[in-house]
């Protein structure tokens, strides 16, 4: 009996056809519907076949016209997730318990090396400049702690953010920005503004576990759409879902430096995604937590840049790029602005003023750009060293993503390994990792691990990778 899953058998069948030249580069790949008919398989299996081929680098989704055969990448550019997500509709996320257990176990442990963090090492942040700005702000306004600011936040900071957004061709007016307690509060506000408990919200699969927790805490149902490390969310699969019977109230997407995949959506896909959501009246929630950490000197476009409907909610964070301890983020909610501002007022009032003043003074100067440039170069070096360290120490067959920026690597272990077992064994010896299973409500990412490389590579880190390698060989 053939124990290979059906989608794998079909993917292998198409791989053979591509290798033998029966299917040629540039040719249109059979549509999902055609595959369902031809092979008598379910929608989910057909989508899984495409996903598998995308991850092999032989298929690319082109906006509006479907999937096409492409030249595979060289082996030096490994793919990330190779397993497909479910297309089960209607399930509550249900991951909260598992995520909480992982986070609690980590907090109780004595952690010597933390690979689970998405932050940069403390010394990489411009803390001295921010401290100086704080002292200056306190000197200039000695009544700062006696007064409360507006719900929307400090206008000087909102002006700086609006001006900076222009560099990524994102037009937002300072009057329509609300400063938040990180992207977490921004996304909570966005979801509360546009959904009611029981509604269905689509997300990429895998996705940042914090988003799954937020959805569950708001009693929303989740639908996972395949995403690849090449081009992010799979648009044909999304379109299929949007055309289906389930009403998708909102979709949360991380288009630039996806967590955990590291993917960056091509511009054409961004434009098509925005259009698709507008056509189906699905609110698009853009999570741009990592955009400023993209390697490229030219800032990437945001989804917001392509939006003409005003039905897109843009959420961003300064916690990974500037100062994790300040907990600052922001939201520009388009036509939902008034509702978001009202919800922010009822939920927590405006954010405190001192950090906002210090940040706006720093971000408004050329020092910020110079700092970001340095940070990106440093992170690129750290990612490279960490990837080499992982591939040297982990079992043969391990694949590591190659994101073009940021602090995160998505590592695929050979299938027989359980990242949850590795998580527990590693924690016992003081090493913390993020097990892949918490990035989806399904079990398909159980042999993946997310490794943070925000800290400079060091003998201590190298030793920790050797220990992980040893644990994987037991
Ligand atoms: C993709 C993504 N969105 C949102 C957040 C939450 O960001 P914040 O710390 O600004 O609340 C994170 C944090 O890791 C993240 O990775």
């Amino acid at each position: 009996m053939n124990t290979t899953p059906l989608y794998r058998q079909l993917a292998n069948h198409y791989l053979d056809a591509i290798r033998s030249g029966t299917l040629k580069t540039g040719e249109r790949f059979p549509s999902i519907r055609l595959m369902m008919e031809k092979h008598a398989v379910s929608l989910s299996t057909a989508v899984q076949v495409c996903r598998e081929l995308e991850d092999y680098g032989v298929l690319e989704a082109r906006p509006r016209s479907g999937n096409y055969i492409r030249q595979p990448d060289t082996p030096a550019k490994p793919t990330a997730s190779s397993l497909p997500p479910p297309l089960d509709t209607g399930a509550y996320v249900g991951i909260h318990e598992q995520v909480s257990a992982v986070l609690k176990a980590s907090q109780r442990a004595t952690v010597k090396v933390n690979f689970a963090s998405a932050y940069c090492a403390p010394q990489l942040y411009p803390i001295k400049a921010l401290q100086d700005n704080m002292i200056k702000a306190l000197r200039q306004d000695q009544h700062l702690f006696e007064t409360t600011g507006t719900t929307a936040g400090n206008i000087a900071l909102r002006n700086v953010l609006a001006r900076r957004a222009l560099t990524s061709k994102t037009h937002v007016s300072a009057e329509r920005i609300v400063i938040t307690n990180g992207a977490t509060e921004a996304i909570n506000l966005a979801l509360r503004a546009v959904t009611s408990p029981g509604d269905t919200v689509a997300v990429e699969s895998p996705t940042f576990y914090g988003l799954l927790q937020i959805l569950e805490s708001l009693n929303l149902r989740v639908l996972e759409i395949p995403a690849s490390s090449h081009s992010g969310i799979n648009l044909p699969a999304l379109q299929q879902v949007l055309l289906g019977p389930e009403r998708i109230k909102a979709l949360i997407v991380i288009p630039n430096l996806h967590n955990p995949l590291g993917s960056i959506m091509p511009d054409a896909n961004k434009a098509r995604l925005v259009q698709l959501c507008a056509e189906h009246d699905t609110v698009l929630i853009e999570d741009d937590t990592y955009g400023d950490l993209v390697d490229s000197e030219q800032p990437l476009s945001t989804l917001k840049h392509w939006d003409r409907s005003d039905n897109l909610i843009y959420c961003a964070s300064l916690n990974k790029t500037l100062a994790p301890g300040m907990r600052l983020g922001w939201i520009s909610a388009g036509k939902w602005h008034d509702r978001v501002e009202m919800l922010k007022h009822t939920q927590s009032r405006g954010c405190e003023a001192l950090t906002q003043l210090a940040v706006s003074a720093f971000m408004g100067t050329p020092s910020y750009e110079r700092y970001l440039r340095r940070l990106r170069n440093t992170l690129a070096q750290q990612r490279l060293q960490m990837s080499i360290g992982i591939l040297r120490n982990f079992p043969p067959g391990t694949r590591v993503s190659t994101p073009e920026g940021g602090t995160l690597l998505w590592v695929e272990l050979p299938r027989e390994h359980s990242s949850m077992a590795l998580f527990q064994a590693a924690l016992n010896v003081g090493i913390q990792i993020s097990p892949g299973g918490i990035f989806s409500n399904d079990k398909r990412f159980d042999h993946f691990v997310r490794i943070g490389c925000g800290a400079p590579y060091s003998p201590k880190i190298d030793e920790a990778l050797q220990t992980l390698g040893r644990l994987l060989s037991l």
Side-chain angles (χ1 to χ4, degrees), residues 118-119 180-187 207-211 214 254 257-260 287-290 316-320 324 327-329 408 450:
Y119 296 114
T180 57
N181 187 323
T184 303
E185 189 181 36
I187 292 161
T207 196
F208 170 50
Y209 55 81
L211 300 182
I214 294 174
I254 311 164
L257 288 183
H258 182 273
N259 174 6
D287 178 348
D288 195 19
T289 293
Y290 296 96
S317 173
L318 303 180
N319 291 319
K320 303 295 181 305
R327 295 291 316 145
L328 286 174
L408 300 173
R450 194 194 71 181

Side-chain angles (χ1 to χ4, degrees), residues 247-404:
R247 167 101 174 87
I248 310 297
K249 268 291 186 63
L251 165 68
I252 310 178
V253 172
I254 311 164
N256 292 331
L257 288 183
H258 182 273
N259 174 6
L261 292 172
S263 52
I264 291 175
M265 286 182 74
D267 271 357
N269 291 35
K270 286 176 181 162
R272 177 65 184 140
L273 172 63
V274 168
Q275 192 189 16
L276 264 180
C277 288
E279 280 166 15
H280 293 272
D281 197 24
T282 292
V283 181
L284 186 49
I285 299 175
E286 174 170 20
D287 178 348
D288 195 19
T289 293
Y290 296 96
D292 270 347
L293 296 184
V294 172
D295 287 344
S296 137
E297 284 286 309
Q298 288 305 315
L300 299 178
S301 75
T302 58
L303 296 176
K304 175 86 180 156
H305 163 70
W306 302 96
D307 175 46
R308 303 288 171 269
S309 67
D310 221 20
N311 202 20
L312 180 150
I313 303 184
Y314 176 84
C315 302
S317 173
L318 303 180
N319 291 319
K320 303 295 181 305
T321 44
L322 196 54
M326 288 187 169
R327 295 291 316 145
L328 286 174
W330 58 285
I331 182 167
S332 180
K335 69 180 177 198
W336 303 96
H337 171 80
D338 289 347
R339 181 157 174 77
V340 160
E341 192 169 1
M342 181 275 286
L343 289 171
K344 168 71 176 154
H345 187 74
T346 60
Q347 181 163 295
S348 56
R349 303 294 200 267
C351 294
E352 64 87 25
L354 184 55
T355 48
Q356 296 184 61
L357 286 169
V359 165
S360 73
F362 182 67
M363 284 183 82
T365 65
S367 307
Y368 181 58
E369 265 321 316
R370 279 199 299 275
Y371 150 73
L372 274 183
R373 215 169 298 134
R374 259 198 323 273
L375 181 65
R376 291 181 196 127
N377 288 338
T378 306
L379 293 181
Q381 179 72 8
Q382 292 176 186
R383 283 195 311 276
L384 180 66
Q385 289 173 306
M386 188 72 91
S387 306
I388 294 169
I390 290 169
L391 290 171
R392 204 170 40 221
N393 289 294
F394 281 30
T398 297
R399 299 199 296 175
V400 184
S401 64
T402 52
E404 291 171 23

Side-chain angles (χ1 to χ4, degrees), residues 438-454:
I438 60 176
F439 293 84
S440 164
N441 198 34
D442 195 87
K443 304 258 176 270
R444 280 177 308 280
F445 301 105
D446 280 358
H447 63 297
F448 283 79
V449 182
R450 194 194 71 181
I451 298 280
C453 28

